[in-house]
Amino acid sequence: MAEAHPVGFRWVMKAKERGARIINVDPRYSRTSAIADHHVHIRAGTDIAFLGGLIRHVLETESYFREYVLNYTNASTIINESFRDAEDLGGLFSGFDPETGIYDRSSWMYEGGEMASAAGVREHASQAFEEQTGAGMHGAQIHRDETLEHQRCVFQILRRHFSRYTPEMVQRICGISAADFDAVARALTENSGRERTTAFCYALGWTQHTAGVQMIRTASILQLLLGNIGRPGGGIMALRGHASIQGSTDIPTLYDLLPGYLHMPRAREQELDLESYIDTGGAERGWWSNFDKYIVSFLKAWFGDAATAENGYGFQAIPKISGNHSHFATTMRMLDGGVEGFFVMGQNPAVGSQHAGLQRRALSKLKWLVVRDLAEIETATFWRDSPEVQSGELKPEDIQTEVFLMPAAAHVEKAGCFTNTQRLVQFRDKALEPPGDARSELWFMHHLAKRVMAHYAGSERKRDWPIANLRWDYPELGAAREPDVEAVMKEINGCEVATGRLVAGFAELKSDGSTACGCWIYAGIFAGGVNQARRRDPGDLNSPGGHVSPEWAWAWPANRRVLYNRASADPQGRPWSERKKYVWWDDAGGRWTGYDVPDFPVDKAPGYRAPDDAKGMDAINGDDPFMMMADGRAWLYSPSGLLDGPLPTHYEPIESPVHNLLYPDLGPDPAGIRWRRPENPLHATADPRYPVVATTFRLTEHHTAGGMSRTLPWLGELQPEMFAEIDPVLAREHGIEDSGWMTIVTDRAEIEARALVTDRMRPLRVDGRPVHQIGLPWHWGYSGGYPGDSTNDLGAISGDPNVSIQESKAFTCNVRAGRRRGPSTERLKGVASATRGLAPNEDDASAETPKEEAP
């Protein structure tokens, strides 16, 4: 966090000054480790085993916050008798289909519950693909055991599931000593409960794994057991790299989401009309019963007067997803000639995406490519200077891709909002004009949309309806005709259609077409006609609750700073302690009050009990804080929503130097995505050719793939060359000298780097034998003022089954002294592009995929 998120780390330092204890768990000793009270070395990719050991410790020592767990989680809920745990089936949960790699999740449901269909389809070189509802059950009677002793209640399932995650097993899998494990376990339990809370901060070290979603799930289970969710100083914070990566998921650049986390409709019978889409996306109980209000208001924002009840508010004209259209699936289609054109904005896949050599080969199959950036990045020049061109594999005269390089404005050269890690939306004014023809993303998309709409104006073809009827009336400012960004914010905020009055919040949105709103969770950002994100009043930081600073900018939703903050009070509505007072029930006033906006119906008393036939929010009791869930409880066990298991369990990474000690007959995550094809070779588990674990990291001096930093001499001077951190023992074994050249090798590529021989990387003992790890920054590419080999050439394309993110934080490699012997990706020279992509878990002998890795 100190290295990659230094601005946010300021607040960690302030907490440390006030006595907070800082623990850093990381494969390498970093700038964060240097100021931490305790640093724990861990083998990359084994976080679930470590966190699972902590969960076992909390359960076995009865250190969990029992009143919180019993009342606010589904610990007491009884699970379907047909469910079988991974501990019963050698690492697989019940319902796994080895032919498809998909789980039928019907056996995971609550007893007496009814769960959304687990039907899914496979798509070209893709993952399981299905609607993921947050409902989990529909109006079912939930069976509970308040004693937590029923053998099929979640609490007992959890206890059995993690029973083998002992400190000894954690040491064997993760390489973490018993002393380090004990120190972390004691710190967590001592700093949790009524009087104290603990926070978890994570970044790509948890997300970039085939089990990344489940790693974060494991942390949430641990935090719920300790009572650290919905309370000040608690929670789990996802550290976001750019200033508005959070905003890029809220109002998404993701293919499978609409703004406000409404799922994109699927191309199947159940979602081809608005009514069926609402049925699958909404819920009978809890907050998602308002789903219809959000989607109808969104459609009105898109299509304006053309969206009517008679035409389903234009829903049928929205494109429907037919499969996996994430980045890697698109890359594979591109490689096979199935994609003609590609826009690249704020990315540099030629060196910034996993298996960058394959990315460049895919780019060479396009007809046209649009790159918007501040400089001529590698993605714009791949056709003339890539390693594949250097090796002769690709010839510029044979590449038919027409590249359009569009100059982009930098962040200080445009107005707009940043949404940061904690959902805080802050407006920034333009500081200076962009040079020459450089333009903002808003300008580019606005004027491109106007040209496309002019082309389709007046068309009566059904397929052209959404373009011809798109509401696009943003005012333009100045000689450059820059769209008014505040007009866009007002559309996002939402309004009353008849009067144009801006709504004060999402509670005013309707499902009858009388309101329009571009993103329901941002409703209120322009309440009262005032740009709430402009506010900069920190308040009195010395007053009770002053640290909340509600007048500093605006946080979605509803300017609420802590989600699920009803959980900061006990079931009767009283603060768990005076020290951790945050929101509470005011008996005299008959409403929830406190330092933050209550995340609960403000007038629902703690003693409210829902009738058996209640629907919507009426079905949520007054002591059920987690109202986004259909049962009002936080889920220690997830009966729906995840594709790879209702509980986290330890699987080895796709590439690992050791076998799974918990499930010896299993390889990596059986539901993980592998694109098995010759251009994407995978290393076998425990392949003796590749005994070293590689993990990647960021440097403060550089930014992502270097497009914004390697062009700047003052940053280049601070970090001029690609390097690798390697421990002294491994360096000595291979004759590698400090600051000398070394080569890192995988089946995909070999790259060269300067060796930084350092104790920051140290060998770990894993199941009784040493395992070495190296650390690789990923900021370099083959062009620009400070070129260097790209770490991303080394990795294979793989994916988490839930979100398709790659496993770049743990893969295997080997090292040798000296420089590489040819262009970095020459190892794959001559590998013919496959004419088809196999299903992710489909065995492919031609790809020489180890049989053990097939399910």
Side-chain angles (χ1 to χ4, degrees), residues 28 30 85 317 321 326 355 373 383 416 440 448 469 474 520 528 545 552 555 640 698 745 783 785 852:
R28 58 185 286 271
S30 68
D85 186 45
I321 296 178
S326 65
H355 200 343
D373 217 291
W383 56 273
S440 70
L448 179 61
N469 289 281
Y474 309 108
W520 73 274
W552 183 279
S640 71
R698 295 173 184 245
V745 182
S783 67
E852 68 184 34

Side-chain angles (χ1 to χ4, degrees), residues 124-125 327-340 355-366 388 393-394 675 677-680 797 828 831-837:
H124 167 74
H327 176 74
F328 295 134
T330 301
T331 298
M332 295 304 183
R333 282 192 289 273
M334 193 187 305
L335 194 66
D336 293 338
V339 178
E340 293 191 356
H355 200 343
L358 187 145
Q359 302 283 337
R360 297 188 292 267
R361 293 174 175 90
L363 293 173
S364 72
K365 302 297 181 70
L366 292 167
E388 294 72 34
E393 176 188 345
L394 298 178
W675 280 271
R677 43 192 299 161
E679 309 94 333
N680 190 46
I797 290 180
L828 283 181
V831 175
S833 175
T835 58
R836 65 183 182 94

Side-chain angles (χ1 to χ4, degrees), residues 273-275 296 299-300 304-316 465 511-514:
D273 60 70
L274 180 61
E275 184 178 2
V296 171
L299 292 168
K300 287 294 292 184
D305 293 340
T308 65
E310 290 71 29
N311 64 16
Y313 300 102
F315 174 82
Q316 290 178 319
W465 189 95
S511 60
D512 59 2
S514 62

Side-chain angles (χ1 to χ4, degrees), residues 123-434:
E123 188 268 340
H124 167 74
S126 167
Q127 70 183 97
F129 163 67
E130 61 180 304
E131 178 270 330
Q132 297 179 39
T133 179
M137 73 291 297
H138 301 281
Q141 180 63 42
I142 298 171
H143 300 280
R144 294 192 173 108
D145 172 25
E146 302 294 332
T147 69
L148 302 183
E149 294 179 358
H150 193 290
Q151 288 304 295
R152 283 190 284 113
C153 80
V154 166
F155 186 83
Q156 292 298 333
I157 290 174
L158 201 68
R159 185 189 292 277
R160 291 193 299 273
H161 180 79
F162 288 108
S163 62
R164 291 198 294 147
Y165 291 66
T166 61
E168 295 74 23
M169 182 62 77
V170 170
Q171 184 167 10
R172 290 178 65 194
I173 293 173
C174 307
I176 294 173
S177 69
D180 277 346
F181 179 85
D182 183 63
V184 176
R186 281 189 291 105
L188 281 176
T189 54
E190 289 170 2
N191 288 274
S192 301
R194 283 183 175 269
E195 296 291 335
R196 307 186 70 83
T197 51
T198 291
F200 277 66
C201 300
Y202 76 90
L204 300 178
W206 270 357
T207 55
Q208 290 180 349
H209 295 275
T210 48
V213 168
Q214 293 285 11
M215 286 182 184
I216 299 156
R217 272 280 297 143
T218 320
S220 71
I221 292 170
L222 182 57
Q223 287 290 71
L224 287 167
L225 289 172
L226 294 170
N228 287 328
I229 301 290
R231 302 180 63 202
I236 302 174
M237 179 172 282
L239 302 171
R240 314 308 297 264
H242 295 271
S244 202
I245 288 295
Q246 182 64 54
S248 295
T249 51
D250 302 338
I251 301 176
T253 53
L254 302 172
Y255 81 96
D256 58 347
L257 288 179
L258 291 169
Y261 301 93
L262 309 178
H263 73 274
M264 277 292 290
R266 272 59 173 166
R268 63 187 194 198
E269 188 176 348
Q270 297 95 322
E271 294 195 350
L272 294 183
D273 60 70
L274 180 61
E275 184 178 2
S276 58
Y277 170 77
I278 291 170
D279 284 344
T280 58
E284 290 185 358
R285 302 159 54 106
W287 196 263
W288 282 116
S289 60
N290 295 303
F291 188 88
D292 56 344
K293 301 173 184 176
Y294 307 145
I295 182 61
V296 171
S297 295
F298 169 73
L299 292 168
K300 287 294 292 184
W302 264 17
F303 300 123
D305 293 340
T308 65
E310 290 71 29
N311 64 16
Y313 300 102
F315 174 82
Q316 290 178 319
I318 293 180
K320 310 298 187 293
I321 296 178
S322 58
N324 184 345
H325 300 286
S326 65
H327 176 74
F328 295 134
T330 301
T331 298
M332 295 304 183
R333 282 192 289 273
M334 193 187 305
L335 194 66
D336 293 338
V339 178
E340 293 191 356
F342 199 53
F343 285 85
V344 174
M345 295 179 280
Q347 290 182 283
N348 192 6
V351 293
S353 283
Q354 190 75 346
H355 200 343
L358 187 145
Q359 302 283 337
R360 297 188 292 267
R361 293 174 175 90
L363 293 173
S364 72
K365 302 297 181 70
L366 292 167
K367 290 185 178 180
W368 55 266
L369 170 67
V370 176
V371 179
R372 296 193 71 255
D373 217 291
L374 311 181
E376 192 179 38
I377 58 175
E378 287 86 350
T379 299
T381 67
F382 78 93
W383 56 273
R384 71 168 189 254
D385 58 4
S386 68
E388 294 72 34
V389 171
Q390 297 172 34
S391 73
E393 176 188 345
L394 298 178
K395 295 180 172 57
E397 59 269 26
D398 295 335
I399 297 173
Q400 299 301 303
T401 311
E402 185 174 9
V403 180
F404 300 87
L405 179 61
M406 302 290 192
H411 68 281
V412 295
E413 298 165 351
K414 54 195 174 189
C417 289
F418 288 154
T419 307
N420 74 2
T421 286
Q422 67 205 68
R423 298 170 289 103
L424 193 66
V425 191
Q426 300 178 88
F427 190 86
R428 309 294 179 91
D429 290 297
K430 181 192 292 186
L432 68 162
E433 292 297 325

